[in-house]
Amino acid sequence: QKEVEQDPGPLSVPEGAIVSLNCTYSNSAFQYFMWYRQYSRKGPELLMYTYSSGNKEDGRFTAQVDKSSKYISLFIRDSQPSDSATYLCAMSAGAGKSTFGDGTTLTVKP
Amino acid sequence: NAGVTQTPKFRILKIGQSMTLQCTQDMNHNYMYWYRQDPGMGLKLIYYSVGAGITDKGEVPNGYNVSRSTTEDFPLRLELAAPSQTSVYFCASSSRTGGYQPQHFGDGTRLSIL
């Protein structure tokens, strides 16, 4: 079993839709939970990160972590065509190595 | 501000050839990483380094070697290229200072072994 499982997708939604991206994990030592966005033929870039359980909001993006269920989510409100990318969840026990999910490819159609 | 720079961007190798993928960062980061990303898959850690002179294996180290003689540079060496090493390779770096520090990625090297 993988340490991090990500809903595979792909997802295709109309512009303005609410998008939910999800990951589960098995390692209780994970304390930091990240979402990276990767555009085609580019390296991943950090979108948001959360320490321990709770919610974090940044503009149209909300990250949720439920450590009791070992489940994390990223919500995108009012999705835009520019949000079309692959989204990777990642988790870490501290400074240094992270474990990545396989990614979910999102297409937002105008 | 260049960040993480990887060269070359593309390369085609024949089976059995060797090559070095270059990675350099200008952010004075202690931690550096090499990942491979196969189509439709996430990032698999090949090797990582916590500082100059210190390297360690990741999840998929077989067929690769690394060295870290300076803070800035972290080259990845393929000795005997095999078709299974066809992939996109990403180098990343992060700071060591407390708590979580995001990894900064280069734009990758696309490698085909034929």
Side-chain angles (χ1 to χ4, degrees):
Chain A
Q1 183 186 0
K2 291 182 180 180
E3 272 192 311
V4 178
E5 298 274 5
Q6 184 166 359
D7 286 354
L11 285 178
S12 181
V13 301
E15 184 174 352
I18 297 174
V19 176
S20 172
L21 304 168
N22 307 293
C23 291
T24 59
Y25 64 96
S26 58
N27 188 344
S28 299
F30 289 145
Q31 295 287 338
Y32 297 91
F33 304 91
M34 290 73 69
W35 288 96
Y36 284 81
R37 179 173 61 194
Q38 184 177 21
Y39 290 115
S40 180
R41 308 186 81 78
K42 290 289 189 181
E45 57 180 351
L46 182 70
L47 188 61
M48 296 182 70
Y49 86 91
T50 307
Y51 173 69
S52 195
S53 282
N55 294 357
K56 187 172 185 178
E57 187 173 322
D58 184 2
R60 296 184 294 110
F61 299 88
T62 300
Q64 288 186 350
V65 175
D66 181 348
K67 290 190 70 178
S68 62
S69 302
K70 295 188 174 67
Y71 189 87
I72 73 170
S73 298
L74 177 71
F75 297 96
I76 307 174
R77 292 184 299 279
D78 188 24
S79 56
Q80 302 295 309
S82 58
D83 295 329
S84 297
T86 296
Y87 290 81
L88 299 158
C89 64
M91 306 179 189
S92 173
K97 294 188 294 179
S98 296
T99 302
F100 287 80
D102 285 345
T104 301
T105 298
L106 170 67
T107 301
V108 181
K109 297 183 175 180
Chain B
N1 193 4
V4 177
T5 303
Q6 292 184 240
T7 57
K9 294 189 185 304
F10 307 93
R11 185 72 184 267
I12 298 174
L13 281 182
K14 294 182 178 179
I15 296 171
Q17 286 185 321
S18 60
M19 77 164 291
T20 299
L21 282 66
Q22 301 291 345
C23 175
T24 187
Q25 52 93 8
D26 63 0
M27 296 171 283
N28 201 33
H29 285 168
N30 296 99
Y31 292 174
M32 295 189 75
Y33 316 83
W34 273 107
Y35 296 92
R36 60 177 287 172
Q37 186 176 38
D38 298 327
M41 303 294 286
L43 298 165
K44 294 185 179 179
L45 184 65
I46 305 171
Y47 271 96
Y48 66 101
S49 169
V50 299
I54 306 170
T55 62
D56 208 347
K57 295 178 180 179
E59 182 184 358
V60 289
N62 292 344
Y64 307 95
N65 278 300
V66 293
S67 60
R68 183 99 181 267
S69 57
T70 67
T71 298
E72 295 78 20
D73 300 308
F74 191 39
L76 177 71
R77 178 85 176 162
L78 281 71
E79 289 295 350
L80 290 171
S84 61
Q85 294 176 306
T86 294
S87 190
V88 182
Y89 291 84
F90 288 101
C91 178
S93 70
S94 65
S95 173
R96 185 178 61 189
T97 56
Y100 176 75
Q101 296 294 331
Q103 295 187 20
H104 298 259
F105 287 83
D107 281 338
T109 293
R110 284 157 182 77
L111 182 61
S112 293
I113 315 294
L114 304 176

